[in-house]
Amino acid sequence: LDPLAQEISIDAGTFPQGVFLRSIDLFFQKVDTNIPVNIHIRPMINGAPHDFLVLPDSEITVKPTVVGDGPQFSQKTNFKFRNPVYCPPGNWAVCVSSNSSDNVLFVSEIGQVWLDSNGAQNTDSYEVTDMKGNGIRLKGILKPLNNGSRVKESGSNLMMSINRCQFT
């Protein structure tokens, strides 16, 4: 199975030695309370997630929680890795799969009105114009097709938070 994938980029200028990821938060529009969702991280090879390589300790399965009419930061589903997952600088794919079509994620699109952390229309800006994080950048959704290929939507990203470890 080819899962839905969100391409991310770890910036070598910001994180020259890479990052350790603690967890990933996803925001669901609709959920199937009986069927879990699986995520894992794969390296990107030639613009697509690797067919079978998965980063060690990056695979986690969770039953998602439901949100209301809009993504609210307090109503996320947290996918906490058993151990920190090391990602060197480069491009990676956060792959999401489920055996239920009732598990539906929120997607952000460049040019659309964006919401604040409470799910209300943001008053500071009226549209999403940039998809850059602080050293970890979202680079588009890779949707699987029935013929075994993928289509990339560069102007769309899954609504997610990527939580990295901070060591002292």
Side-chain angles (χ1 to χ4, degrees):
L1 278 176
D2 280 335
L4 176 70
Q6 170 66 58
E7 183 178 3
I8 64 171
S9 178
I10 310 295
D11 180 46
T14 308
F15 300 112
Q17 297 177 351
V19 295
F20 283 91
L21 302 181
R22 180 173 33 97
S23 66
I24 293 177
D25 300 326
L26 295 176
F27 298 86
F28 288 86
Q29 270 185 338
K30 192 170 96 170
V31 298
D32 183 331
T33 55
N34 298 313
I35 307 293
V37 173
N38 176 279
I39 72 165
H40 59 272
I41 300 173
R42 297 182 188 184
M44 291 289 291
I45 306 294
N46 296 325
H50 195 281
D51 288 337
F52 58 86
L53 281 180
V54 174
L55 286 180
D57 295 320
S58 73
E59 189 164 5
I60 189 82
T61 302
V62 172
K63 282 191 180 176
T65 55
V66 71
V67 298
D69 295 332
Q72 296 184 20
F73 190 71
S74 63
Q75 295 179 326
K76 61 192 177 244
T77 299
N78 181 260
F79 291 80
K80 186 174 187 327
F81 302 118
R82 286 181 275 289
N83 297 305
V85 175
Y86 175 65
C87 292
N91 293 341
W92 301 91
V94 177
C95 300
V96 182
S97 59
S98 175
N99 284 333
S100 175
S101 59
D102 289 335
N103 288 321
V104 180
L105 291 162
F106 278 104
V107 174
S108 63
E109 295 181 25
I110 292 177
Q112 297 296 314
V113 172
W114 64 289
L115 306 177
D116 66 16
S117 61
N118 294 319
Q121 183 172 321
N122 190 295
T123 56
D124 297 330
S125 176
Y126 291 104
E127 63 181 48
V128 177
T129 57
D130 195 3
M131 294 296 180
K132 295 180 182 170
N134 198 5
I136 301 176
R137 198 169 117 212
L138 302 178
K139 295 187 70 176
I141 297 174
L142 297 149
K143 293 183 177 180
L145 301 176
N146 288 338
N147 65 5
S149 66
R150 294 177 184 270
V151 63
K152 183 172 182 176
E153 293 185 3
S154 298
S156 299
N157 290 299
L158 295 180
M159 297 288 293
M160 65 188 325
S161 295
I162 300 170
N163 307 302
R164 62 183 177 87
C165 297
Q166 294 183 354
F167 300 105
T168 56

